[in-house]
Amino acid sequence: MPNASSWSASSPLLLLWEDSSGTRIFLSLLYAVLAISGTLSNVMVIYLVFSFKKLQTTSNAFIVNGCAADLSVCALWMPQEAVLGLLPPNSSSLRSAEYRLLRGGLLGLGLTVSLASHLLVAFNRYVLITKLPSVYQALYQRRHTGCMIGLSWALALLPVPLLPGLWTLGSAQSDGSSRYTALLLALAVLGQTALLLHCYLGIVRRVRGSAKRVSVLNFHLLHQLP
């Protein structure tokens, strides 16, 4: 039976399952299906946005950015996990620190940019609905939009060297640095979730307020009719 460190080197999902060849084959097939379906769906979204001019909006630019980030996971990371799941636990590929760094970097980069893209979409809709049109037009010029997309990738590249330390969690080799990395990741996800909630709750409040004003206006207009 392989130890916990060999499991963590193989795949983070394997820590949640019993160590068996059947489980490894099942997870490899699952990774393969997700890789194919995720790659096709993201490529289709990118193709549609670039093919139809009406779809080339600022919000869709951020969505395309998220699809490109998802491709680094679906098209690059998941196929490797599908293949590595079929290898013996003591394979040299699984024990290579450089290769684990590459896999962790791909996963961390894709997830970070994808989360940042979701936040950019939410903030874009928040400004569009709750602010004046002049504010939206000044903020979301083509140059500013490109800088936001580039910044999402730049920020995602900063913590990439730290993310592979997460795969040692739960193993005998875990140390303070891996726990510190996990804490940073958790705080980043919680912060992103809080900002998403703020944006969408602000949209809901604005829409509800507009609906009430329209209802009151319609009520007065109906009473003025003969």
Side-chain angles (χ1 to χ4, degrees), residues 59 62 65 115-125 140 145 148-149 152 196:
S59 180
F62 297 135
N65 185 55
L115 290 174
S117 298
H118 284 291
L119 182 58
L120 288 173
V121 170
F123 186 72
N124 173 264
R125 293 171 178 172
Y140 286 100
T145 302
M148 292 178 188
I149 293 175
S152 68
L196 282 176

Side-chain angles (χ1 to χ4, degrees), residues 112 115-127 130 140 151 155 186-205:
T112 305
L115 290 174
S117 298
H118 284 291
L119 182 58
L120 288 173
V121 170
F123 186 72
N124 173 264
R125 293 171 178 172
Y126 173 79
V127 175
T130 64
Y140 286 100
L151 185 61
L155 292 177
L187 291 177
V189 173
L190 289 176
Q192 190 257 1
T193 303
L195 290 174
L196 282 176
L197 289 175
H198 172 75
C199 291
Y200 284 115
L201 288 177
I203 292 173
V204 170
R205 288 194 296 267

